[in-house]
Amino acid sequence: MKAEIPQVDKGAGRPRDPRIDAAILTATSDLLVQIGYSNLTMAAVAERAGTTKTALYRRWSSKAELVHEAAFPTAPTALGTPEGDIAGDVREMIAAAGAVFTSPVVRAALPGVIADMAADPDLNDRVMGRFTGLFEVVRLRLQRAVERGEVHPEVDPDRLIELIGGATLLRMLLTPGQDLDDQWVDQTTAIVVHGVIR
């Protein structure tokens, strides 16, 4: 039997207990991989974490928000490689998207989270807001590439983000059991950077 984790009263102004947060997020990740998003309940997470549903709802307003934080525990705010030429930057963006989206937890979470976000505009805004820092990095790198004369000025950074994210998600849906290997990353980079017209 799991030991009950002591609760923290947020209403009294005391900080959240990081041990409870960690236990909840770990329980959510484990259950997602084991039973999937549709079968996941806040009650099941609370039981696995050794806490209460009240503790969960003090921290996350919905299952979708909890799952999103479990799947993406740290909101990305930067690219992993130093800024260089735009082809290298695009390749890094594609490789990073592949690494994030193909983890077992994200594979289990994403279809359900996307469906819930589509039905709830406020939830969509809250979830997407976690990626603002990364989107700003992409915009800045594109702006600098335009200034260096490497990129057409009319290229919209939002469209680039959509292309990379969309390509990654579709590949996951079409071949759910396969990883996104270096060959896929290189080929996708070539298409994004050079286009398809000779």
Side-chain angles (χ1 to χ4, degrees), residues 91 94 181-191:
R91 190 189 190 286
I94 293 169
D181 58 16
D182 286 342
Q183 182 180 29
W184 183 86
V185 172
D186 289 340
Q187 291 175 346
T188 306
T189 300
I191 292 170

Side-chain angles (χ1 to χ4, degrees), residues 46-68:
E47 181 178 2
R48 174 68 68 94
T51 188
T52 65
K53 285 200 299 181
T54 302
L56 268 67
Y57 281 111
R58 279 203 302 263
R59 292 160 168 79
W60 296 276
S61 65
S62 68
K63 179 175 89 168
E65 283 192 283
L66 169 59
V67 166
H68 185 270

Side-chain angles (χ1 to χ4, degrees), residues 157-167:
D158 291 333
R159 300 298 81 76
L160 177 61
I161 292 166
E162 290 167 5
L163 282 170
I164 292 170

